[in-house]
């Protein structure tokens, strides 16, 4: 794998931050995260346009049901949530700017 | 390795082949056909026009018909027919025949040009497999074109960088600069990759390359006057196809053709970090100063107080080893910054301004040295043979060259001198000699470049024996190209 692949994968990983994918605040409770995840999955299944994209500091990205499920699973693990939360605090602030 | 064993011999066939061998015979036949054909054309033009005009033409028109037009037909028209008309329409045989007729094309470049035509239409090389092709500018451009189309920008960038820094005497034919580079630039234009367009255009010449370089500058945000863009467009070929791009460049001023480029986040340190990762992934040029400025901005976010706050949050979430988790996030940021630093241009500051930058610089140095050591494994002289084509051998060297030249900006002279004497010198030297011995004149262009590079590095390391031997090897390789 080259450096270019590495940085591209890192960038994708950062922009696929579960808090950005689920559009919830980093301080959201586990219940809020689950609720928002299920709502997004239902909207995606219904084919709602608004659910198909999510906001990142580098513009809109495509949201899929796999991405949503993966985000919910990531945030169920407290250790993983800690890291995502730390990145999300900065990234979500940039989205809000 | 002794200097004697590391010297290459001048291949006797190198010079003789073009004079008296098959190559010489073919060149003589080509010259005879040129002479017969163009003499006939000239005679017919002169005879018909002379009979028609009956002495009524002035000096200017006579000069135009008798000298300027025949010279244009003889010198420029065949390459125009090959590269502007036949090759873009997939008429490969006509394009090769036109190249054969062009005095601007050397006979021995024809197989490489054929390979370039194949790469340009994205088909496998038909005239000769890779192993039988020489390493030269045309095959290097063909390889860069394939890499660009297959989304391997790092590989394409390494080839382009090597072509941009050819040693004195290395050939870069004019037609390759105009038409070869043009095809490469157009490949990047097709996906609106303006940083790649700017990088490739530095190699080239010609009206189209000049225009596209200006559009790329405008896309970067440079001030390019609309008047100059329109003049360049008027002078360039493919005006109809390029009109939308130029119109957009002019209309949007500095923000050109960026409809698919997302807005750049600058608000927070995290967002700046991700934006820089994106720039690196897009192969935009990064500057070491910018990465170090980002590192300076990161410092308060990963200092002891910030990590303590993170540790407290870990306790709230019920995470075990919260301190270690917080420390791991700091290490993650450092690794990512080191990766960005490895892609950036410019020397590291001699005295980093803060401890975080110092740690980052050390990590970047370690990474570069590790990268060189890892790439050295591929340079086994015993494995060089017919199965490793000259161009592939050259491309393998390009990876080491890129890592070494990056390390020159980060690792410091002492570390590189040690690495040179303990691992790189003998291994790479043997490899270059093996490539040269194994492929002869087909690898001469690449061998010249590799030996010249080795001599330069030996000079920096103070290795006089290696300097002298590799300069001589480079000279011999260059002589076999003539």
């Amino acid at each position: 794998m080259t450096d270019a692949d590495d940085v591209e994968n890192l960038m994708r990983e950062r922009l696929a931050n579960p808090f950005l994918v689920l559009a919830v605040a980093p301080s959201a409770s586990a219940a809020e995260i689950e609720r928002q995840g299920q709502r997004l999955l239902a909207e995606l299944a219904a084919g709602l346009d608004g659910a198909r994209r999510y906001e990142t500091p580098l513009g809109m990205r495509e949201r899929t049901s796999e991405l949503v499920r993966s985000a919910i699973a990531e945030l169920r693990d407290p250790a993983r949530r800690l890291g995502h939360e730390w990145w999300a605090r900065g990234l979500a602030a940039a989205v809000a700017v | 390795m002794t200097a004697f064993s590391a010297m290459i011999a001048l291949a006797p066939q190198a010079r003789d082949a073009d004079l008296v061998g098959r190559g010489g015979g073919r060149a003589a036949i080509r010259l005879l056909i040129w002479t017969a054909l163009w003499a006939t054309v000239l005679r017919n033009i002169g005879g018909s026009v002379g009979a028609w005009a009956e002495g009524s033409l002035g000096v200017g028109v006579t000069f135009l018909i008798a000298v300027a037009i025949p010279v244009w037909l003889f010198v420029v028209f065949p390459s125009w027919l090959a590269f502007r008309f036949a090759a873009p329409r997939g008429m490969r045989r006509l394009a090769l025949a036109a190249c054969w007729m062009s005095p601007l094309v050397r006979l021995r470049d024809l197989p490489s040009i054929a390979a370039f035509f194949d790469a340009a239409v994205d088909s496998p090389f038909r005239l000769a497999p890779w192993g039988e092709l020489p390493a030269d500018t045309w095959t290097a451009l063909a390889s860069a074109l394939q890499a660009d189309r297959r989304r391997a920008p790092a590989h394409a960038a390494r080839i382009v960088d090597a072509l941009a820094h050819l040693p004195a005497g290395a050939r870069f034919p004019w037609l390759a600069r105009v038409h070869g580079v043009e095809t490469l630039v157009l490949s990047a234009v097709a996906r609106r990759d303006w940083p790649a367009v700017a990088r490739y255009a530095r190699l080239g010449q010609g009206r189209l390359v000049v225009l596209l370089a200006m559009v790329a500058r405008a896309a970067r945000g440079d001030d390019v006057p609309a008047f100059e863009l329109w003049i360049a467009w008027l002078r360039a070929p493919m005006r109809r196809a390029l009109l939308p791009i130029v119109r957009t460049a002019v209309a949007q001023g500095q923000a050109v053709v960026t409809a698919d480029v997302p807005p750049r986040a600058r608000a927070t340190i995290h967002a700046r970090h991700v934006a820089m990762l994106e720039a690196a992934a897009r192969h935009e040029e990064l500057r070491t100063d910018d990465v170090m400025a980002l590192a300076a901005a990161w410092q308060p976010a990963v200092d002891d107080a910030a990590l303590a706050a993170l540790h407290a949050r870990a306790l709230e979430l019920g995470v075990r080893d919260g301190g270690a988790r917080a420390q791991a996030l700091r290490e993650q940021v450092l690794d990512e910054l080191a990766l960005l630093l490895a892609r950036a241009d410019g020397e590291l500051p001699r005295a980093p301004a803060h401890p975080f930058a110092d740690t980052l610089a050390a990590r970047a140095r370690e990474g570069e040295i590790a990268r060189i050591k890892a790439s050295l494994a591929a340079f086994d002289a015993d494995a060089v043979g017919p199965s490793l084509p000259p161009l592939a051998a050259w491309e393998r060297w390009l990876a080491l060259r890129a890592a070494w030249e990056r390390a020159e900006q980060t690792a410091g002279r002492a570390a590189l001198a040690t690495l040179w004497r303990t691992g790189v010198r003998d291994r790479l030297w043997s490899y270059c000699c093996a490539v040269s011995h194994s492929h002869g004149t087909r690898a001469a262009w690449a061998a010249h470049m590799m030996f010249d590079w080795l001599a330069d590095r030996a000079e920096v390391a103070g290795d006089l024996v290696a300097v002298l031997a590799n300069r001589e090897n480079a000279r011999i390789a260059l002589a076999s190209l003539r």
Side-chain angles (χ1 to χ4, degrees):
Chain A
M1 184 182 281
T2 65
D3 288 353
D5 295 331
D6 288 343
V7 288
E8 194 162 350
N9 289 339
L10 280 171
M11 181 199 70
R12 284 193 184 142
E13 193 183 321
R14 297 281 163 262
L15 294 180
N17 185 290
F19 287 99
L20 296 182
V21 171
L22 297 176
V24 291
S27 58
S29 67
E32 283 173 325
I33 288 167
E34 290 289 338
R35 201 163 41 243
Q36 172 71 352
Q38 296 309 321
R39 190 177 66 82
L40 285 171
L41 284 173
E43 287 181 1
L44 283 167
L48 294 185
D49 275 349
R52 284 189 188 144
R53 293 171 81 76
Y54 67 97
E55 207 171 354
T56 76
L58 300 183
M60 303 299 282
R61 300 270 151 168
E62 190 186 359
R63 180 192 279 135
T64 60
S65 47
E66 288 77 21
L67 206 54
V68 172
R69 284 195 191 95
S70 162
I72 297 170
E74 282 285 300
L75 296 184
R76 281 178 187 149
D77 178 347
R80 287 179 175 276
R81 174 179 172 145
L82 180 72
H84 292 311
E85 199 178 296
W86 187 71
W87 278 101
R89 285 190 196 282
L91 296 176
V95 170
V97 166
Chain B
M1 175 185 292
T2 64
F4 179 76
S5 69
M7 295 292 285
I8 59 170
L10 177 60
Q13 74 274 19
R15 190 173 293 275
D16 299 345
D18 282 346
L19 297 176
V20 294
R22 284 183 62 209
R26 285 202 299 264
I29 291 169
R30 190 187 186 204
L31 188 63
L32 275 174
I33 292 176
W34 280 353
T35 309
L37 182 71
W38 293 117
T40 309
V41 169
L42 200 57
R43 180 183 171 280
N44 286 340
I45 290 176
S48 332
V49 174
W52 169 74
E54 295 176 342
S56 63
L57 297 179
V59 176
V61 179
T62 306
F63 178 82
L64 185 72
I65 292 171
V67 180
I69 291 177
V71 166
W72 182 83
L73 267 177
F74 176 59
V75 178
V76 181
F77 177 71
S79 57
W80 177 89
L81 181 68
F83 289 97
R84 291 257 179 264
F85 180 80
R89 288 165 178 78
M91 301 157 130
R92 187 174 176 279
R93 282 175 188 274
L94 177 62
L96 282 174
C99 283
W100 192 86
M101 285 300 297
S102 171
L104 301 176
V105 175
R106 284 195 187 184
L107 197 59
R108 68 175 172 209
D109 284 345
L110 280 175
S112 305
I113 292 175
F116 180 80
F117 285 149
D118 290 338
V121 295
D122 223 359
S123 71
F125 295 164
R126 281 181 277 173
L127 192 74
W130 270 112
E132 291 171 24
L133 286 170
D136 61 19
T137 314
W138 284 107
T139 49
L141 284 171
S143 180
L145 189 59
Q146 284 186 333
D148 186 78
R149 291 199 176 143
R150 288 171 192 170
R151 302 293 170 94
H155 185 64
R158 280 200 294 267
I159 294 175
V160 167
D161 186 60
L163 291 176
H165 298 95
L166 289 177
R171 274 188 74 221
F172 197 143
W174 180 75
L175 283 177
R177 276 199 192 278
V178 175
H179 299 290
V181 175
E182 193 176 287
T183 310
L184 188 59
V185 171
L186 285 171
S187 169
V189 168
R191 59 173 195 279
R192 304 293 189 262
D193 184 350
W194 299 111
V197 171
R199 191 164 47 246
Y200 299 158
R202 280 182 214 135
L203 290 179
Q205 289 176 352
R207 293 161 293 156
L208 186 57
V209 172
V210 166
L211 170 66
L212 294 172
M214 288 172 76
V215 174
R217 276 172 44 215
R220 197 173 55 192
D222 291 359
D223 183 23
V224 181
F227 174 74
E228 286 182 18
L229 264 171
W230 283 123
I231 292 291
W233 174 78
L234 278 172
R235 294 179 65 231
M238 298 174 64
R239 279 186 290 275
R240 187 181 296 174
L242 294 174
L243 182 60
I245 287 173
V246 176
R247 194 177 276 159
T248 313
V250 171
Q252 295 188 348
Q254 293 183 343
V256 189
V257 202
T258 50
D260 55 342
V261 178
R264 296 306 173 91
R266 291 282 179 263
T268 65
I269 178 65
H270 300 74
R272 279 174 62 194
H273 184 93
V274 175
M276 201 171 274
L277 285 176
E278 193 222 13
R282 290 166 66 90
H283 264 264
E284 289 179 21
E285 285 182 10
L286 298 182
R287 293 182 49 77
T288 298
D289 292 347
D290 294 337
V291 180
M292 295 311 282
L294 184 66
W298 264 118
Q299 197 189 6
V302 290
D303 65 5
D304 290 344
L307 294 189
L310 196 57
H311 189 183
R313 177 62 182 152
L315 290 173
E316 280 176 26
L317 290 171
V319 177
R320 288 181 187 173
D321 302 329
R325 297 273 177 190
Q327 190 63 34
L329 282 172
R330 182 181 188 275
E331 293 297 311
Q332 191 182 42
V333 170
L334 267 173
D335 283 343
E336 291 180 20
L337 287 170
L339 197 59
L340 287 171
L341 213 46
R343 296 264 300 104
D345 287 325
E347 289 197 10
L348 279 174
R350 296 277 173 212
H354 46 84
F356 188 66
D358 200 24
T359 312
L360 173 62
R363 189 160 299 193
R365 273 193 288 274
E366 287 164 15
E368 293 298 345
I369 298 289
R371 214 163 277 133
I372 291 171
K373 285 181 177 169
S375 63
L376 268 182
F379 293 90
D380 182 4
D382 295 335
V384 172
S387 61
L388 182 67
L391 192 69
W394 179 71
E395 288 176 342
R396 195 174 281 186
W397 164 75
L398 288 182
L400 178 71
R401 172 186 178 272
W404 187 276
E405 292 188 357
R406 180 59 211 147
E408 283 176 343
Q409 297 181 326
T410 57
R413 184 176 286 201
L416 284 180
T418 307
L419 192 60
W420 169 263
R421 289 184 184 280
T422 55
V424 175
R425 175 189 191 265
D426 289 355
R427 199 166 176 88
L428 190 55
W429 195 350
S430 310
Y431 173 83
C432 294
C433 289
V435 170
S436 183
H437 285 141
S438 177
H439 296 292
T441 50
R442 287 190 297 121
W445 181 83
H448 170 224
M449 211 180 300
M450 294 192 289
F451 283 127
D452 188 78
W453 187 87
L454 271 173
D456 286 347
R457 265 66 221 168
E459 202 165 332
V460 174
D463 185 350
L464 190 61
V465 173
V467 174
L468 294 175
N470 282 298
R471 289 261 179 262
E472 182 60 11
N473 284 341
R475 191 193 65 74
I476 293 169
L478 184 60
S480 66
L481 278 171
R482 297 248 164 89

